[in-house]
Amino acid sequence: MTSVNELPNLKEQLVAKAEEIATKIPEEPRGIMGQKTEALEMSGLAVKSVGLEHEFPQFELDNATGETIKLGVLLEKGPLVISFYRGGWCPYCNLELKALQNSLWAIREQGGDLVAITPEMPDHSLTTTQKNELQFQVLTDQSNEIARQLGIVHEVDEELDHIYKSFGIDVEAHNQDGKKELPLPATYVIDQKGIIRWAFVRADYRLRSEPAEVVDALSKL
């Protein structure tokens, strides 16, 4: 049986990463980034997004090697954990993906499986998959179509885009459609009928779902 103590403590890793990054970013851009995150929180986007007991949008998305993956086919095997991430350029996303990979055995022990969804082009997501040695499907959500149906898409404005580019991050170049749009960090547990039974959606990109909570949600289906 799954033990919580065997699963990664993602929160500790995220806090440590945030502290590390804070020491490397000058005060002015750090302050602007904080203001943008606060504004996104105040917008209520996360709160207003599609939540529990709603049907997850049907999808047919390409994986990192160009194979088309259908939600209906995945659900034939059991419930799913679906995690949206911004891109392989995001250090918090990479921590989350690694934590999910290290929790994959526990997810499958509960009869479920795991899928990650990103707006990144397949060649970028393939790099992310290889770098993090991921053993689950990573799918490209072109134009954030599925994320948009869930109500979790936001635009990176010019000021924030300028800061990202100063770090060597070009959101437009990474995304499949070339737009400066990103999904909020979000994780869903859906049952075999495609109904959302548990959800974690946050405006602050430094916050992610805890693997133990995901596994616990699966165990209650």
Side-chain angles (χ1 to χ4, degrees), residues 117-128:
I117 298 179
T118 176
E120 276 195 315
M121 292 188 293
D123 55 343
H124 288 298
S125 61
L126 179 60
T127 300
T128 301

Side-chain angles (χ1 to χ4, degrees), residues 12-168:
E12 288 184 357
Q13 297 176 43
L14 293 169
V15 169
K17 178 59 69 174
E19 292 174 349
E20 174 194 337
I21 290 175
T23 65
K24 299 177 180 179
I25 300 178
E27 184 177 352
E28 183 177 355
R30 188 169 72 245
I32 293 172
M33 292 170 68
Q35 292 169 12
K36 300 296 183 183
T37 299
E38 184 177 351
L40 190 56
E41 290 177 323
M42 293 298 291
S43 74
L45 183 65
V47 176
K48 292 181 286 188
S49 65
V50 174
L52 303 184
E53 307 305 322
H54 287 82
E55 185 174 357
F56 195 90
Q58 288 290 325
F59 64 70
E60 296 184 14
L61 302 175
D62 289 347
N63 66 12
T65 58
E67 179 187 5
T68 299
I69 305 299
K70 300 179 181 181
L71 176 61
V73 174
L74 294 173
L75 290 176
E76 289 176 1
K77 302 176 183 178
L80 277 179
V81 176
I82 301 178
S83 180
F84 285 81
Y85 73 96
R86 307 194 304 163
W89 51 266
C90 170
Y92 302 97
C93 295
N94 284 310
L95 281 178
E96 181 182 29
L97 290 170
K98 289 178 183 177
L100 287 170
Q101 174 59 43
N102 291 333
S103 305
L104 186 58
W105 63 273
I107 290 171
R108 289 177 174 166
E109 188 179 80
Q110 297 297 332
D113 208 345
L114 172 64
V115 171
I117 298 179
T118 176
E120 276 195 315
M121 292 188 293
D123 55 343
H124 288 298
S125 61
L126 179 60
T127 300
T128 301
T129 299
Q130 294 171 336
K131 180 174 66 176
N132 293 303
E133 299 180 338
L134 305 182
Q135 297 171 14
F136 52 86
Q137 294 285 1
V138 176
L139 309 179
T140 294
D141 182 16
Q142 186 171 357
S143 299
N144 281 292
E145 290 180 7
I146 306 304
R148 200 179 311 281
Q149 291 181 56
L150 289 163
I152 60 171
V153 178
H154 68 98
E155 185 175 5
V156 177
D157 67 19
E158 291 298 329
E159 190 173 28
L160 187 56
D161 185 52
H162 177 74
I163 291 173
Y164 280 171
K165 284 178 177 173
S166 73
F167 301 155

Side-chain angles (χ1 to χ4, degrees), residues 4 7 110 189 198 210-221:
V4 173
L7 296 173
Q110 297 297 332
V189 173
W198 184 88
E210 198 64 36
E213 295 178 0
V214 173
V215 173
D216 182 61
L218 266 176
S219 73
K220 293 176 179 177
L221 291 181

